[in-house]
Amino acid sequence: MKVFLLTLASCALVLVVLNAGYYKEWFDGKPRQYWFEFLKEKDDPGDEVAIKKSRYGVVYTISMRVKEVVEKKKMPHAIILFEPNSYYRDSLRIYNNIRAPEPAVFYYYTGLEGVWTNSPDVRKANFIVRITKNKGVTLDEIKSPQQLQQILDGFKKYPPIL
Amino acid sequence: MPMFIFLFLLVCYWLSGFGILTLFRIRLKPAYMVTLSLLLGVAVASFVPFGLQLLYITITGPTVFGALVLVALLLNIPSFLRMRHSGLAVFTRPFGGGRFRVRPYEVPYWLVMGFLIFVSVWRCYYLPPTSRDALSGPETIAEYTVREQTMINSFFGLDLWSTNNQFKSPFLISLQVIYKLAGFPFGQVWLSVVFISFTIFLYHVLRERLHPVLAGLLLLLFMMAPEIYAYTFMILYDYSNMVFFCLGLYFLYQGLVGGVGAGPGLGTAAGAGSGGGPAMVSFGGLLLGIATYIRSETLVLVVLFLPVIFWSQWKTVGGGGAGGEGRGASAGAGAPVPVGAPAPVSEGARVPVGAVLKKMALMGLFFLLPSLVGYYLPVQRYINHYLPVHYDIGTLVNNNLSDWHPLLQRYGDIVSKLLFGTFAIHLWGYLFYIASALFVAELVFVRRFSREACFWLYAIVVVYLALGFMGFALPMFNLTETTKRAVFKIVPLLLFYMANNELVLRLSRWIAGWEVKGSKKMAMGTVIGGEKAVAPKVAPASGKRGAAKAGGKAGTGGSGGVGKAGAGGSGGAGSRKKNRKK
């Protein structure tokens, strides 16, 4: 009988914790949600790329698109210049939805080398990823050092940020 | 195939960890032996690809898995030698004998915790690493290590202006490499081994102090700390660092109180026949060394525990009085003096100051040495002599250390933003509030703290003060990211404190007494962890949990209490006095 009462007490304490203040909000929003995700994921596991796409979101998709284009153009030494994220934040105001990946993360996604506008290796850049509201994402070739300088000058007031 | 390799890795971990425990002559309850072996095994594995890199050996499947097996075998040489006399019992005996009984009132907790564990393990397995700190450093390095067979790979040729994560410990890189080689594309599942092992370990520790209803509640509160839970499936350094730091302090304390006799928890159920004082302190030092290897700034915290060792040594050897109490108690109960423990000092015996100082220095050295190695290898040796890019930490130090205003500001911010307030609740749930309320209640109503409670309070304060200072000295040690994650280290310490809070202990005793019908003795004051109170069939004195029974009969305090003298951990001095009066 006492064991039964203690078991009831344990159940009550568990329920109290699960329903107390922020714990309830967290439990419903996180572990419970994760459980529902698990139910979907176990039925349709998807391949590695699909999982990465859904987990890493639009930045990963852009990166992989860049990779595809570079592979099509057969440019073995492509070095990709990214526009500064502060440009997306202050000028295009799309920073909440989209941002350029860090070179290290871009390398993880694609195996391609990327640079930011303040990188010591920026002079080696031969492609630039441009994101615009109208055209979406484009990968343009940088054809000359002069063109690169012009691009860099255009971004002078936008320091790279994460 | 990956599952087969996963099991193979578990066996390697278990063997390596068991080998280390054997080297330190530590014998614990099976639940501790298994969980500690696995945790130590993960730590050993995290050195393997790193060690291969230090030796310029290419990192491939055969070299890594071969090295893991080799290390596991080497660490077990003493056990193999003993096999000539004892046969396979050398390996099986430490894991036998203990019986873990699940009582119905533990089930509700385990259902919820099992659910949390399951979800965490699935996410660890199924989802790729996502944290920016992992992707911009260790995870990418690990990925290219597998492809290029060296940890010093093409990643270091990139523009790394935006990150310093390439300089962080090889702990994560090594483990990711092992699991990627094992066929897990996202690695990560090692974190579940750490998570589950630590959770089980923690539950057993709490259960030794408290009735399972309270132990389960505390552990549930810990697991439901949102930020910590998130890091059980998001690979970074902080969760593992917390685990080894907490374990290190736990064994440090057990070593300081004498390991066999006076220690709560370990003294009986866990510490059966364990290595005792100095060996246990060194083992604690080893665990802290692993924590330092994982996060180098832990070294600062480890150094701050040296005074505790010196003080304890002075009291034990130099004082010839207070510290000797615990040992005397052990002897009184007929408990064996552990191998490696110092000869008992009779009360009032004078020991030359030089001998005391030498002993203090040696113990301090053995305690600190693993942390120094854990700092030197990845930070000084690897970064400065192996990596093609260098990291000058000197340039990161605050150059205006004479202005203490930011230091005070940081201490205030830690309390107001990270420990209390809305943001803190979102990070840790209500743990800090509950622990603080219990602390105040103990201060007001009990007006004294047991020795163990004092130790954990000291540990909490030390971590808090050190984190504030590091944030002041290293501006990049920011509040909402680095310091926040470093606060992980405090959270299990809160649990240990709460498990030693006199009011919680009284409640635990009351529940245990009420449950065990007619056990007036227990209800009146025997300090009994839930396990013993509910299941009086404990342990044989040879270090297999029998000492507790003797202690219980004598009406002594402390779950680890042994012997007529009533030296027992949990009740502390107060309980002992009460018991003597009785």
Side-chain angles (χ1 to χ4, degrees):
Chain A
M1 183 61 183
K2 284 181 177 174
V3 170
F4 176 70
L5 288 175
L6 282 171
T7 308
L8 280 185
S10 293
C11 290
L13 284 169
V14 166
L15 288 175
V16 166
V17 171
L18 291 180
N19 288 288
Y22 183 69
Y23 285 130
K24 179 175 168 52
E25 191 184 323
W26 172 77
F27 192 81
D28 288 344
K30 298 287 178 177
R32 212 160 151 240
Q33 204 55 43
Y34 295 157
W35 170 256
F36 293 129
E37 285 174 23
F38 159 74
L39 294 177
K40 283 183 209 157
E41 289 158 356
K42 77 172 171 57
D43 292 333
D44 181 19
D47 64 355
E48 196 181 319
V49 174
I51 295 169
K52 280 183 172 172
K53 264 186 184 169
S54 77
R55 189 69 177 154
Y56 295 139
V58 68
V59 178
Y60 180 77
T61 311
I62 291 172
S63 301
M64 295 311 285
R65 184 80 190 109
V66 169
K67 188 183 176 185
E68 272 175 37
V69 175
V70 168
E71 280 174 354
K72 265 186 197 164
K73 289 192 176 182
K74 294 183 180 164
M75 288 283 295
H77 301 296
I79 296 179
I80 318 295
L81 174 65
F82 291 103
E83 296 170 313
N85 280 321
S86 57
Y87 170 67
Y88 300 147
R89 184 188 62 190
D90 302 335
S91 179
L92 299 186
R93 299 183 192 286
I94 54 170
Y95 184 64
N96 287 338
N97 306 320
I98 207 161
R99 62 185 66 185
E102 257 183 284
V105 178
F106 181 67
Y107 190 64
Y108 174 68
Y109 291 160
T110 63
L112 294 174
E113 194 174 337
V115 286
W116 278 359
T117 51
N118 63 345
S119 164
D121 292 337
V122 71
R123 300 278 159 207
K124 295 180 190 167
N126 46 16
F127 283 92
I128 178 169
V129 175
R130 291 187 192 276
I131 300 175
T132 54
K133 280 183 181 172
N134 304 329
K135 287 184 181 175
V137 184
T138 54
L139 182 70
D140 299 332
E141 197 170 345
I142 301 171
K143 288 173 181 159
S144 67
Q146 291 75 19
Q147 189 193 353
L148 176 63
Q149 189 56 50
Q150 217 172 357
I151 292 167
L152 294 176
D153 289 343
F155 289 125
K156 257 186 183 163
K157 58 179 179 175
Y158 300 107
I161 57 167
L162 285 177
Chain B
M1 189 64 178
M3 264 310 155
F4 172 75
I5 302 181
F6 179 76
L7 293 175
F8 160 78
L9 287 172
L10 279 185
V11 173
C12 282
Y13 296 164
W14 175 79
L15 266 178
S16 304
F18 176 72
I20 293 175
L21 289 172
T22 310
L23 288 175
F24 280 89
R25 302 181 185 209
I26 288 174
R27 285 280 176 82
L28 308 167
K29 268 196 339 185
Y32 293 103
M33 289 297 281
V34 174
T35 52
L36 269 179
S37 295
L38 289 174
L39 286 167
L40 285 166
V42 171
V44 169
S46 76
F47 278 97
V48 167
F50 176 50
L52 293 176
Q53 184 60 57
L54 289 179
L55 297 170
Y56 297 105
I57 297 171
T58 52
I59 297 172
T60 61
T63 57
V64 169
F65 295 123
L68 280 170
V69 172
L70 187 67
V71 169
L73 295 177
L74 286 176
L75 286 168
N76 281 284
I77 286 176
S79 302
F80 291 131
L81 292 177
R82 282 213 311 278
M83 268 178 75
R84 285 188 300 184
H85 304 290
S86 314
L88 272 178
V90 171
F91 290 100
T92 53
R93 197 186 305 133
F95 299 95
R99 211 160 41 117
F100 179 63
R101 284 176 53 194
V102 178
R103 293 174 192 82
Y105 41 74
E106 293 174 84
V107 174
Y109 293 115
W110 275 108
L111 284 177
V112 179
M113 290 191 279
F115 170 74
L116 292 174
I117 288 172
F118 178 83
V119 167
S120 166
V121 171
W122 172 256
R123 290 180 82 76
C124 235
Y125 165 75
Y126 180 77
L127 296 175
T130 41
S131 72
R132 180 248 161 190
D133 281 6
L135 295 184
S136 62
E139 168 62 9
T140 310
I141 295 172
E143 183 68 32
Y144 285 89
T145 300
V146 173
R147 295 184 199 180
E148 299 173 22
Q149 304 184 345
T150 170
M151 280 164 68
I152 299 152
N153 50 50
S154 55
F155 176 81
F156 291 95
L158 300 177
D159 167 25
L160 300 173
W161 169 85
S162 59
T163 176
N164 64 356
N165 290 312
Q166 68 276 23
F167 298 115
K168 290 187 178 165
S169 166
F171 171 82
L172 212 63
I173 303 169
S174 295
L175 288 169
Q176 283 297 91
V177 164
I178 291 171
Y179 280 86
K180 281 170 191 280
L181 288 172
F184 294 89
F186 307 137
Q188 291 200 124
V189 283
W190 56 269
L191 185 55
S192 294
V193 179
V194 174
F195 172 43
I196 294 171
S197 300
F198 184 61
T199 302
I200 295 172
F201 181 91
L202 210 50
Y203 183 67
H204 279 82
V205 171
L206 292 174
R207 239 181 68 143
E208 282 188 12
R209 311 288 295 133
L210 301 172
H211 189 278
V213 171
L214 297 178
L217 179 63
L218 286 186
L219 190 65
L220 182 63
L221 290 173
F222 173 71
M223 286 186 73
M224 288 184 64
E227 188 71 2
I228 293 183
Y229 181 70
Y231 279 79
T232 64
F233 51 83
M234 194 163 73
I235 51 158
L236 263 189
Y237 301 91
D238 307 274
Y239 188 85
S240 307
N241 175 251
M242 172 196 82
V243 167
F244 286 101
F245 180 75
C246 165
L247 291 175
L249 291 190
Y250 181 75
F251 283 98
L252 168 65
Y253 180 75
Q254 303 306 333
L256 292 180
V257 295
V260 167
L266 280 186
T268 55
S274 64
M280 196 78 94
V281 170
S282 300
F283 181 62
L286 175 76
L287 291 163
L288 289 170
I290 295 166
T292 306
Y293 167 63
I294 298 170
R295 281 201 74 97
S296 54
E297 74 270 12
T298 311
L299 179 63
V300 177
L301 299 173
V302 178
V303 170
L304 291 173
F305 282 91
L306 280 176
V308 180
I309 295 177
F310 294 150
W311 180 80
S312 166
Q313 279 292 294
W314 184 258
K315 294 269 283 181
T316 307
V317 184
E325 199 177 345
R327 218 176 304 283
S330 302
V337 176
V339 181
V345 178
S346 61
E347 280 198 27
R350 291 278 172 198
V351 180
V353 175
V356 176
L357 291 178
K358 189 180 165 193
K359 195 171 169 52
M360 283 163 67
L362 275 177
M363 196 181 242
L365 179 70
F366 283 117
F367 173 73
L368 194 57
L369 195 62
S371 294
L372 292 175
V373 175
Y375 179 83
Y376 172 77
L377 279 180
V379 177
Q380 295 296 328
R381 189 78 207 159
Y382 185 61
I383 293 178
N384 293 335
H385 296 90
Y386 286 78
L387 293 189
V389 283
H390 297 294
Y391 194 43
D392 185 6
I393 200 161
T395 59
L396 305 173
V397 176
N398 177 3
N399 51 18
N400 193 12
L401 288 171
S402 57
D403 178 12
W404 285 30
H405 177 72
L407 176 65
L408 301 176
Q409 178 72 40
R410 176 55 67 98
Y411 283 131
D413 286 346
I414 292 176
V415 172
S416 62
K417 291 177 182 157
L418 292 185
L419 306 187
F420 300 99
T422 311
F423 183 54
I425 291 172
H426 289 191
L427 296 175
W428 327 113
Y430 299 98
L431 261 177
F432 278 92
Y433 287 92
I434 296 167
S436 303
L438 285 169
F439 171 75
V440 171
E442 188 173 20
L443 194 67
V444 172
F445 297 113
V446 186
R447 293 183 201 155
R448 63 167 181 270
F449 297 95
S450 70
R451 188 167 47 165
E452 189 162 5
C454 283
F455 177 81
W456 295 115
L457 287 171
Y458 174 83
I460 291 166
V461 171
V462 158
V463 176
Y464 165 70
L465 291 176
L467 293 188
F469 184 78
M470 282 191 270
F472 164 67
L474 301 165
M476 64 175 297
F477 203 94
N478 63 15
L479 184 74
T480 52
E481 291 299 328
T482 319
T483 308
K484 175 195 77 178
R485 294 199 299 258
V487 170
F488 279 19
K489 285 189 270 287
I490 295 182
V491 179
L493 306 184
L494 289 180
L495 281 198
F496 286 148
Y497 163 66
M498 287 193 276
N500 287 283
N501 180 287
E502 184 57 28
L503 296 172
V504 177
L505 286 168
R506 282 181 194 175
L507 178 62
S508 173
R509 289 196 292 268
W510 182 82
I511 297 172
W514 175 78
E515 185 188 3
V516 182
K517 193 181 173 185
S519 179
K520 195 177 171 188
K521 230 191 288 181
M522 284 180 182
M524 281 177 70
T526 313
V527 180
I528 294 178
E531 192 170 346
K532 272 163 254 153
V534 181
K537 280 183 188 173
V538 266
S542 57
K544 291 179 183 164
R545 302 173 57 199
K549 193 173 177 182
K553 279 182 180 172
T556 55
S559 64
V562 179
K564 291 170 187 172
S570 71
S575 298
R576 285 198 294 276
K577 279 177 192 167
K578 272 189 206 167
N579 292 328
R580 281 193 195 117
K581 279 180 190 170
K582 268 194 275 172

